[in-house]
Amino acid sequence: MSTISLPRRFALIPAAGVGTRMSARLPKQYMMLAGKPMLQYALDTFAASDLIAHTFVVVSPDDGYIDDMLSALPHLQGTVTVLRHGGDSRQQSVLNGLHEIRTQLADHDWVLVHDAARPLLDNIMLEQLITAIDGDKVGGLLALPIVDTLKRSHTGRVQTTVSRDELWAAQTPQMFRYGLLTHALERAMIRSEAVTDDASAIEMLGMQPKLVAGNPRNFKVTLEHDIALAEIFLKG
Ligand code: C5P
């Protein structure tokens, strides 16, 4: 009699960026935020969740910070595996990470891809996403309905106002089955279709990922003023 294992859930954190929009001395994911390196927040959140079996973090092959960071955090021992296979783009880093863990995951296992640059993900948001997606055929992502009026411009003057009706801003984690996500990202890569999140690769297969209303706190630390805002939330 064959046994079919229940799907498990794994976190995959692409953390191989250099943070070009931030004029910092070290890569953005290692910048100190309220006393901790930015990456530690996501690692702590996943490690504390019973719903996550293990976390993989993808860093660049010549990353000189991750080992020191983790050796100072004994509570994370055994919860995270470092994959030194970051690529030239987020998409490539995620795909390289998925390839590296292929012997450890089944196609039906879930992968929650989460940006290291979103330190404010908490257990409540994580559980909301997992509860909404666990039984879903396609998978989905945290996202927020757009509330601001949107302007399009390439000169600094308004060309046009874009309707915000039905528009959402994608966040992470983005939660898809291992097999489907790997196939979708490989296909996008072969076709040279640049995707800035994981859901777009799934959409290119003609599928419709589910949007799960997130929280504005889960913003991506991108520009220098985001640091101060993140610290206000983290200290609060
Ligand atoms: O640069 P951005 O903030 O959009 O990056 C989103 C996430 O993707 C970050 O966690 C960053 O470290 C990661 N990334 C990566 N490999 C790259 C570029 C970005 O893992 N080549």
Side-chain angles (χ1 to χ4, degrees), residues 13-21 28-29 58 86-91 93-94 114-118 220-222:
I13 305 180
V18 286
T20 42
R21 286 164 288 189
K28 176 170 71 171
Q29 56 275 26
V58 185
D88 291 343
S89 62
R90 179 190 186 280
Q91 176 185 3
S93 295
V94 172
H114 182 63
D115 289 335
R118 294 185 189 270
K220 185 162 74 168
V221 176
T222 306

Side-chain angles (χ1 to χ4, degrees), residues 50-101:
D50 293 340
L51 302 174
I52 301 296
H54 194 72
T55 298
F56 297 96
V57 58
V58 185
V59 300
S60 82
D62 54 3
D63 183 301
Y65 302 94
I66 189 77
D67 293 338
D68 287 348
M69 189 192 100
L70 288 177
S71 62
L73 303 170
H75 69 280
L76 289 177
Q77 213 178 359
T79 69
V80 51
T81 300
V82 177
L83 308 169
R84 292 185 167 273
H85 290 85
D88 291 343
S89 62
R90 179 190 186 280
Q91 176 185 3
Q92 187 70 65
S93 295
V94 172
L95 186 56
N96 290 355
L98 292 172
H99 285 158
E100 284 305 305
I101 60 179

Side-chain angles (χ1 to χ4, degrees), residues 27-221:
K28 176 170 71 171
Q29 56 275 26
Y30 296 110
M31 287 176 70
M32 296 302 278
L33 272 186
K36 296 185 199 173
M38 191 180 310
L39 173 59
Q40 188 189 336
Y41 289 96
L43 295 177
D44 280 345
T45 300
F46 289 123
S49 172
D50 293 340
L51 302 174
I52 301 296
H54 194 72
T55 298
F56 297 96
V57 58
V58 185
V59 300
S60 82
D62 54 3
D63 183 301
Y65 302 94
I66 189 77
D67 293 338
D68 287 348
M69 189 192 100
L70 288 177
S71 62
L73 303 170
H75 69 280
L76 289 177
Q77 213 178 359
T79 69
V80 51
T81 300
V82 177
L83 308 169
R84 292 185 167 273
H85 290 85
D88 291 343
S89 62
R90 179 190 186 280
Q91 176 185 3
Q92 187 70 65
S93 295
V94 172
L95 186 56
N96 290 355
L98 292 172
H99 285 158
E100 284 305 305
I101 60 179
R102 65 158 72 83
T103 57
Q104 299 171 63
L105 271 71
D107 275 357
H108 68 191
D109 283 334
W110 290 107
V111 181
L112 284 83
V113 184
H114 182 63
D115 289 335
R118 294 185 189 270
L120 281 139
L121 175 73
D122 62 22
N123 197 41
I124 296 172
M125 299 176 217
L126 185 58
E127 284 195 21
Q128 279 168 344
L129 175 70
I130 290 172
T131 305
I133 301 301
D134 250 352
D136 198 84
K137 283 200 169 62
V138 177
L141 61 147
L142 289 179
L144 269 189
I146 299 283
V147 291
D148 294 323
T149 299
L150 296 177
K151 308 288 185 193
R152 187 186 303 281
S153 164
H154 59 91
T155 58
R157 287 187 174 271
V158 176
Q159 237 178 313
T160 177
T161 296
V162 181
S163 169
R164 69 184 169 210
D165 284 357
E166 304 181 345
L167 286 188
W168 292 64
Q171 298 183 337
T172 67
Q174 304 204 349
M175 176 170 165
F176 297 100
R177 303 268 186 188
Y178 176 80
L180 177 66
L181 181 58
T182 306
H183 167 66
L185 286 170
E186 281 171 349
R187 187 171 173 273
M189 202 64 84
I190 288 165
R191 296 175 171 220
S192 302
E193 285 171 312
V195 295
T196 52
D197 73 348
D198 314 289
S200 336
I202 303 285
E203 292 154 39
M204 286 170 188
L205 298 174
M207 299 174 135
Q208 297 188 317
K210 185 171 181 177
L211 293 164
V212 181
N215 186 309
R217 285 169 60 101
N218 187 27
F219 68 93
K220 185 162 74 168
V221 176

Side-chain angles (χ1 to χ4, degrees), residues 32-35 120 219 226-236:
M32 296 302 278
L33 272 186
L120 281 139
F219 68 93
D226 295 329
I227 295 275
L229 188 59
E231 288 198 310
I232 290 170
F233 281 129
L234 290 166
K235 287 177 182 163

